[in-house]
Amino acid sequence: MKILGIVNQKGGVGKTTTAINLSAYLAAGGRRVLLVDMDAQGNASSGLGQRGVQQGLYQALLDPASAASFVVETGTPGLSLLPATPDLAGAGVELADDTGALRAVLDALPGYDLVVIDAPPSLGPLTINVLAAADALIIPLQAEYYALEGLAGLTDTVERVRQALNPGLRILGVALTMFDGRTNLAQEVEQNVRGHFGELVFWSVIPRNVRLSEAPSYAKPIGAFAPMSAGAAAYKRLSEEVMQRVEKI
């Protein structure tokens, strides 16, 4: 079982969109995938049709042995979900000194080929738990002027977690999102990001796409909602690229 964390402390960069659609395409490739919604906002859960959930990841963190009872199946074959609930917002305080809580939950859920974790947009205790549990990280990065701002804090945190908690942690790749190739700005950002991160940047770039924005309101991943859209094609390519890198871990 490989564990992939989708992380960026900056909100609005396409993190949850990436978590949902990457998970769905990885499952469509014949793998058994578990998506873990670690964000108290629960957008990954609602984006897969799980709205108003009363029990989920928070309860599993309190009692890892019962984690399997909170996993739900989605409309995508091969894709399961451990949903978020509003009380997850308070878990940051409870987990401040317990960096291994999420890993204990995942260890109680054998049988998956891949686990994808949608981390909250912060560098607090919940995200530290994600970093401590993950084998590798995917960093969605919006193609905008301030794209690289703040990433130094994330990479510093990754290095500290690697040294103190999880020596095997690595960055699998950086995914450019919300890309508008018609603008000079987006192209300049891409050049800067590739110049800064080099081969870590995935070649698959996620475009700005109306269908990607609409899909969550229909509680479907883009591959089910608009399979012929540019957004669907981009996430399918990204999933193939991700698997190529995962197989080398």
Side-chain angles (χ1 to χ4, degrees):
M1 183 173 73
K2 299 298 183 184
I3 302 171
L4 306 178
I6 313 295
V7 299
N8 193 323
Q9 78 274 27
K10 188 175 185 297
V13 299
K15 182 176 54 63
T16 298
T17 299
T18 296
I20 291 174
N21 293 303
L22 181 59
S23 298
Y25 272 116
L26 291 171
R31 299 163 190 91
R32 191 174 179 210
V33 180
L34 174 67
L35 175 58
V36 178
D37 190 352
M38 196 77 174
D39 188 347
Q41 297 178 78
N43 290 334
S45 301
S46 62
L48 288 172
Q50 298 297 317
R51 296 182 173 89
V53 177
Q54 298 302 311
Q55 292 188 314
L57 178 58
Y58 177 74
Q59 285 71 28
L61 290 167
L62 296 179
D63 181 14
S66 67
S69 65
F70 304 116
V71 173
V72 297
E73 298 306 314
T74 71
T76 300
L79 177 59
S80 304
L81 171 71
L82 184 51
T85 54
D87 46 16
L88 190 61
V93 176
E94 298 174 40
L95 299 181
D97 298 317
D98 187 358
T99 58
L102 178 59
R103 185 65 200 225
V105 169
L106 300 181
D107 286 343
L109 294 170
Y112 294 98
D113 300 310
L114 292 164
V115 175
V116 178
I117 310 168
D118 185 23
S122 72
L123 291 179
L126 293 178
T127 298
I128 297 301
N129 258 264
V130 174
L131 300 184
D135 295 304
L137 306 175
I138 295 172
I139 304 174
L141 197 63
Q142 186 177 1
E144 62 166 19
Y145 183 74
Y146 294 109
L148 295 175
E149 196 171 89
L151 273 190
L154 175 58
T155 53
D156 286 348
T157 300
V158 169
E159 184 57 34
R160 288 198 298 272
V161 169
R162 183 184 290 124
Q163 293 177 7
L165 300 171
N166 185 359
L169 180 64
R170 67 188 71 190
I171 295 176
L172 191 72
V174 176
L176 280 167
T177 61
M178 302 181 183
F179 188 83
D180 186 348
R182 299 170 299 179
T183 68
N184 291 332
L185 175 60
Q187 295 175 30
E188 290 172 6
V189 169
E190 181 178 15
Q191 290 175 2
N192 289 337
V193 171
R194 293 192 186 280
H196 186 81
F197 288 101
E199 294 183 354
L200 276 179
V201 184
F202 292 107
W203 287 109
S204 306
V205 173
I206 309 302
R208 284 196 177 275
N209 182 253
V210 173
R211 293 301 195 186
L212 283 174
S213 301
E214 293 173 339
S217 64
Y218 290 86
K220 293 181 179 180
I222 191 63
F225 176 67
M228 303 305 292
S229 66
Y235 272 113
K236 186 175 188 300
R237 288 193 300 269
L238 179 62
S239 71
E240 294 166 353
E241 204 171 345
V242 165
M243 277 313 304
Q244 290 174 2
R245 299 192 186 191
V246 167
E247 288 168 358
K248 296 177 182 178
I249 297 177

